[in-house]
Amino acid sequence: DYAQQGEDRTGQLTPFHDTAGQSVNNAQTSFQPFMDEAADTTRGAFAKTSGAGYAGAIEDYTNPFESGVLDNMDYDRDVSLNTYKDNVAKSGAFGNDRRAIGEAEIYGANDRSKADMRYKGYESARDQANTAFNQGITSANTLADLGTQTQTNQINAANAADQHGNIITAQDQAER
């Protein structure tokens, strides 16, 4: 506490010293909400993109219309196959090797197209999931930086208040 009138006032604390002490106390806790949020954000990013969660994260970014497009490709294949069978029947080739090879080529071309589309869809969804993960980690880093900066600001405020208190104490002592 402050020295009474007439007492030795050497080393007396001023209200600025009290402010410095409060700033130090604030510095000890002010960063914690940012760090907690950063930890939660990081956990969320890792949970969505690790283990079984990774498949779910990728699925979240899969084009919902992909299955409709693939179904249409099967329809188009069936139309091509029927046209091919009609042409083969008109030429009189019922059940021969040439017909079987032609049908296999139609099925193979369709399967390759569908596989390529699925791969491209997966690749796009994977890239989007990875981008979301990286954004989550960047957000967590930003929150951690904000917490650190908040703590640094509190410590700087404590130092400034302490220095101001020291100046006042020195001036007070010099006046005696």
Side-chain angles (χ1 to χ4, degrees):
D1 285 0
Y2 302 107
Q4 300 286 328
Q5 276 300 65
E7 292 182 19
D8 178 18
R9 296 172 63 183
T10 305
Q12 173 183 345
L13 296 178
T14 68
F16 292 101
H17 288 106
D18 289 340
T19 300
Q22 185 58 44
S23 292
V24 169
N25 288 338
N26 290 343
Q28 293 173 357
T29 58
S30 63
F31 71 97
Q32 198 59 49
F34 293 100
M35 296 304 180
D36 291 344
E37 187 65 28
D40 289 345
T41 301
T42 302
R43 277 192 290 277
F46 276 111
K48 271 204 102 157
T49 57
S50 62
Y54 189 64
I58 290 174
E59 191 172 305
D60 290 346
Y61 295 98
T62 301
N63 187 335
F65 302 106
E66 183 178 298
S67 63
V69 172
L70 293 172
D71 289 344
N72 282 340
M73 290 175 80
D74 285 342
Y75 175 79
D76 291 345
R77 177 210 56 217
D78 292 342
V79 169
S80 294
L81 195 57
N82 287 335
T83 302
Y84 175 73
K85 287 179 182 179
D86 287 345
N87 289 337
V88 168
K90 287 178 188 174
S91 70
F94 296 102
N96 66 15
D97 288 345
R98 191 174 105 202
R99 177 181 171 185
I101 291 171
E103 289 176 9
E105 286 177 0
I106 291 172
Y107 276 106
N110 183 62
D111 290 345
R112 283 187 298 278
S113 294
K114 285 171 56 177
D116 186 53
M117 180 172 284
R118 280 190 180 111
Y119 174 75
K120 287 177 181 174
Y122 170 83
E123 198 172 47
S124 173
R126 182 203 61 210
D127 291 347
Q128 291 177 48
N130 286 339
T131 297
F133 170 77
N134 289 334
Q135 288 171 343
I137 295 302
T138 299
S139 295
N141 287 336
T142 299
L143 287 165
D145 290 345
L146 286 172
T148 302
Q149 187 60 47
T150 299
Q151 186 178 38
T152 300
N153 290 344
Q154 290 291 332
I155 291 170
N156 289 342
N159 288 335
D162 187 49
Q163 288 172 0
H164 193 75
N166 291 340
I167 291 169
I168 289 175
T169 299
Q171 287 173 345
D172 192 37
Q173 289 174 352
E175 289 174 3
R176 288 193 207 154

